Amino acid sequence: GTRPEAIKMAPVIRSLRSSNHIDAVVCSTSQHGKMLQQVFDLFAIKPDIDLAVMEPNQQLNMLFSNVVREVDRMLDTVEPDWVLVHGDTTTAAASAIAAFNKSIRIGHVEAGLRTWNMAQPWPEEMNRTVIDSFADHCYAPTLISKENLQRQGIVSDRIFVTGNTVIDAFNDMSDIIDKDEKLSSDLAARFSYLTEKPHVVLVTGHRRENFGDGIRNMCHALKRIAERGDTMIIYPVHLNPNVKIPVERILKNDPSIKLIEPLDYASFVYLMKQASVILTDSGGIQEEASSLGKPILVMRSVTERPEAVEAGIVKLVGTDPDNIVRFVKAYLQKVKTPNPPVSNPYGDGTAAEKIISALINAT
């Protein structure tokens, strides 16, 4: 349903479709619409079914009920043995419940991430916890995720530690950018303004719990960072009006801040590779960027992905402007040459293979 889901499920879809043992049907709810289509185009994914559930200004409860209703109808048509859902979105939770109510087995990709705080991330913490409670297979990215599942009371034979599929996708795209001279040249030309300043700060900010004061605080911090004069800030702005309106109101017309449309995945991976510092409230970016040895500052007070924090790769900075500015300036002062790649705590790029193996062995 969402852009991150499509990125993280792309390696799984590819592995499913190359298997001689599995007939894979891809269903999209189109929760993210235009941003989702970018990923489908990049990974050459054409959904077999598109439910197109989104409506203007749709609230969470209406979205949830629409997904349950439309997925229920789809399941009657397809009659699958398994339904795979990803992560913590409304699409994932509603689809899993629809499958559960039809006694269809469920595999939960990226299971077991927890903050143990239902308000952060909201509503994702609840969605993920609920799916894990009844999924037949829980594909945990890390040992910490497995321990979280066991703490919830989920028996070990339902848990498979696979790594995170986003590392599969990120490694593939990073290699393509490095090896495809035309693509690399096109991306360099598209983002030629990166060379205008010594430092590049890549920003994403869009989480629901940060709507309002959180987003506004992030923007005020960015304005102060831009005042340094030596930093180019790149912010692909989420299309949700709760993000887009305040960001454009506060940050437009600043020559050191580039507000751009949401990017295709290849472009975003390229920007991550070019950045001096990555400033985000995203979950998935914490995982992807951990391979790059770049400072990753997370504008949240808690994270369901503690592995990179414990490894010293990620720093939680919250949304207080003073705190954000202080840490960005501190890391920029340290930036001279890119750090060497580090061992990513979220996997080795073989998660999709492990998931498919678990499915085949269960059928």
Side-chain angles (χ1 to χ4, degrees):
T2 68
R3 180 179 183 274
E5 283 176 295
I7 292 169
K8 294 182 175 187
M9 288 297 273
V12 178
I13 292 169
R14 180 187 61 207
S15 295
L16 286 169
R17 286 182 165 171
S18 65
S19 172
N20 294 324
H21 304 279
I22 296 172
D23 180 18
V25 177
V26 178
C27 176
S28 169
T29 65
S30 289
Q31 185 177 331
H32 270 181
K34 179 181 177 182
M35 292 188 292
L36 180 64
Q37 188 60 47
Q38 290 176 344
V39 181
F40 287 157
D41 292 342
L42 181 65
F43 287 100
I45 297 170
K46 183 174 176 56
D48 300 286
I49 300 167
D50 188 343
L51 301 179
V53 300
M54 291 305 292
E55 300 172 4
N57 301 313
Q58 187 167 227
Q59 301 299 308
L60 279 175
N61 284 337
M62 185 59 69
L63 172 60
F64 199 101
S65 65
N66 284 345
V67 173
V68 170
R69 182 188 65 245
E70 295 303 321
V71 169
D72 181 83
R73 294 171 178 170
M74 177 272 294
L75 295 175
D76 282 341
T77 300
V78 177
E79 297 183 336
D81 298 295
W82 284 84
V83 169
L84 298 186
V85 300
H86 183 279
D88 55 17
T89 67
T90 299
T91 287
S95 299
I97 287 173
F100 177 80
N101 285 341
K102 288 185 175 294
S103 298
I104 298 170
R105 287 182 289 183
I106 299 151
H108 187 197
V109 180
E110 199 183 75
L113 280 63
R114 295 289 185 276
T115 65
W116 306 104
N117 180 346
M118 284 294 177
Q120 297 187 52
W122 178 88
E124 289 84 1
E125 180 79 359
M126 181 277 292
N127 288 338
R128 198 186 303 264
T129 303
V130 167
I131 299 168
D132 286 336
S133 69
F134 58 76
D136 298 270
H137 279 187
C138 292
Y139 304 119
T142 68
L143 288 173
I144 289 178
S145 299
K146 177 181 179 179
E147 291 166 1
N148 289 337
L149 291 166
Q150 291 173 323
R151 177 178 170 185
Q152 189 178 331
I154 295 166
V155 296
S156 295
D157 61 3
R158 290 168 51 199
I159 304 171
F160 301 82
V161 179
T162 62
N164 197 304
T165 59
V166 77
I167 308 307
D168 302 29
F170 178 82
N171 289 348
D172 288 348
M173 187 51 57
S174 183
D175 287 345
I176 289 170
I177 291 171
D178 290 343
K179 295 174 182 177
D180 187 327
E181 293 183 5
K182 184 179 185 306
L183 176 60
S184 297
S185 177
D186 289 347
L187 289 168
R190 180 181 179 186
F191 300 109
S192 59
Y193 53 77
L194 297 181
T195 61
E196 295 175 9
K197 307 279 186 178
H199 301 303
V200 174
V201 174
L202 176 61
V203 180
T204 69
H206 64 268
R207 298 199 74 87
R208 287 179 181 271
E209 67 265 28
N210 283 335
F211 287 177
D213 287 344
I215 294 292
R216 287 190 290 270
N217 286 342
M218 292 177 195
C219 291
H220 290 304
L222 294 177
K223 283 187 72 69
R224 290 167 57 185
I225 294 165
E227 291 171 359
R228 289 170 55 98
D230 64 349
T231 303
M232 180 64 70
I233 297 171
I234 315 299
Y235 190 164
V237 183
H238 199 283
L239 299 178
N240 189 309
N242 291 289
V243 178
K244 188 176 179 66
I245 291 173
V247 168
E248 291 185 345
R249 184 176 64 244
I250 297 170
L251 297 179
K252 68 179 180 180
N253 301 324
D254 190 315
S256 294
I257 301 175
K258 298 288 187 182
L259 302 180
I260 60 179
E261 292 291 312
L263 296 169
D264 63 89
Y265 190 52
S267 298
F268 194 79
V269 170
Y270 176 81
L271 287 181
M272 283 197 286
K273 291 163 75 74
Q274 304 305 311
S276 307
V277 172
I278 297 170
L279 187 61
T280 184
D281 65 1
S282 168
I285 291 172
Q286 296 174 54
E287 298 157 343
E288 295 164 295
S290 292
S291 296
L292 296 173
K294 304 286 181 77
I296 308 163
L297 305 182
V298 176
M299 296 179 290
R300 296 164 60 182
S301 57
V302 295
T303 179
E304 69 278 28
R305 295 165 169 87
E307 293 85 355
V309 176
E310 294 179 3
I313 303 168
V314 164
K315 178 73 175 178
L316 295 176
V317 299
T319 58
D320 177 76
D322 291 339
N323 212 35
I324 294 172
V325 172
R326 178 166 61 91
F327 277 104
V328 170
K329 287 185 175 180
Y331 279 104
L332 287 178
Q333 288 173 356
K334 298 177 183 178
V335 173
K336 293 182 181 179
T337 58
N339 292 326
V342 297
S343 177
N344 194 314
Y346 299 109
D348 60 5
T350 61
E353 297 174 17
K354 293 170 182 172
I355 290 168
I356 304 314
S357 176
L359 277 172
I360 291 172
N361 289 333
T363 54

